[in-house]
Amino acid sequence: MKLSKSVKLLILWFALALCGLLLWKFTNIGKSIHMDAISVWLRELGFVGGLLYILAYTLRPLVLFPAIPLTVFGGYTFGAFWGTVYDVIGAGAGAVLSFQIARRWGRGSFERLIRGKKLQTFDEKAEKNGFMVVLYMRLLPFFPFDGVSYGAGLSKIRTGDYTWATFIGIIPGAVVYNVLGDSLQEIGSMKFYLAVALYVAFALIPLVVRRRQKARAEV
């Protein structure tokens, strides 16, 4: 199948973002950035610092930077409450941005790709149950955050269903990771150990869900 110009641009953008991510990981670029200094600077800016954090989180999917480290950083910098508020706004906005990019640039080519195939049936079911599908994937931490965003954009899931499910579904994870980030200011304290326990409990959710699904399948 011949790729459209928009799909070629989308692939090029992903390739460039991946190259940037690899450079960050395997060079000294990341090591030269002092996160404590950035954290102090953002706190000193007050509300403007929060806006900058939200902007960074909104644009994060465009460079494929991992979401979890940025979320933990938000809790470390702004505290559990405001870190969660800023995170939900920024992560939600970034997820909607990713969805719209995939919908605008990739949906047409995806429709041609799945025409007459089983994926078309799945696509139609996703349209009917879009809210619950997205909510389920947002609530469970084993689904890749950006993968869900771009994948939903390629599907028939309605924009409204996707948006509401995303903003609701990301709240539990945002709370957990921001509480953990906030506790890093007091490593070794009771607050820190409680945050770690909360994180472990959250991380075990996928195992519990998978076991229940397996048990139901065996009945």
Side-chain angles (χ1 to χ4, degrees):
M1 183 186 69
K2 186 177 180 181
L3 297 178
S4 65
K5 184 178 179 180
S6 60
V7 173
K8 290 179 180 178
L9 289 173
L10 192 62
I11 293 173
L12 177 61
W13 163 51
F14 269 109
L16 291 174
L18 181 59
C19 288
L21 196 61
L22 291 174
L23 283 173
W24 174 279
K25 181 175 179 60
F26 295 108
T27 65
N28 292 323
I29 295 177
K31 296 179 181 178
S32 64
I33 298 176
H34 301 286
M35 301 309 295
D36 279 331
I38 295 176
S39 181
V40 171
W41 176 64
L42 288 174
R43 280 197 296 270
E44 290 176 346
L45 288 175
F47 181 67
V48 175
L51 291 179
L52 289 175
Y53 175 77
I54 291 172
L55 178 62
Y57 218 130
T58 300
L59 300 178
R60 178 203 60 79
L62 302 182
V63 295
L64 303 181
F65 189 84
I68 293 177
L70 191 57
T71 305
V72 174
F73 176 76
Y76 180 80
T77 301
F78 303 106
F81 177 77
W82 284 110
T84 299
V85 171
Y86 295 152
D87 175 37
V88 170
I89 296 173
V96 171
L97 176 62
S98 305
F99 174 88
Q100 292 296 343
I101 288 173
R103 176 63 55 90
R104 182 178 179 84
W105 286 4
R107 175 61 194 173
S109 296
F110 186 71
E111 283 182 325
R112 291 192 293 272
L113 180 66
I114 66 173
R115 189 173 296 165
K117 298 183 179 180
K118 291 182 179 180
L119 278 174
Q120 190 171 10
T121 303
F122 173 80
D123 195 33
E124 292 171 355
K125 289 181 179 179
E127 181 184 18
K128 294 178 181 178
N129 305 293
F131 179 86
M132 293 307 300
V133 169
V134 175
L135 182 64
Y136 176 80
M137 291 190 289
R138 291 306 191 197
L139 287 171
L140 296 179
F142 55 75
F143 288 102
F145 190 87
D146 293 334
V148 172
S149 302
Y150 290 116
L154 294 176
S155 74
K156 281 187 175 182
I157 293 175
R158 297 181 182 90
T159 302
D161 289 342
Y162 170 82
T163 301
W164 280 109
T166 290
F167 273 97
I168 294 171
I170 62 178
I171 292 175
V175 171
V176 170
Y177 288 119
N178 277 279
V179 167
L180 179 63
D182 185 30
S183 73
L184 296 179
Q185 296 278 8
E186 304 174 38
I187 295 177
S189 66
M190 181 59 67
K191 177 181 178 180
F192 171 75
Y193 291 118
L194 288 174
V196 172
L198 180 63
Y199 169 74
V200 171
F202 184 69
L204 289 176
I205 291 176
L207 297 178
V208 175
V209 172
R210 284 173 176 170
R211 284 189 177 182
R212 288 187 175 181
Q213 289 176 338
K214 186 178 180 181
R216 288 177 181 177
E218 292 175 352
V219 174

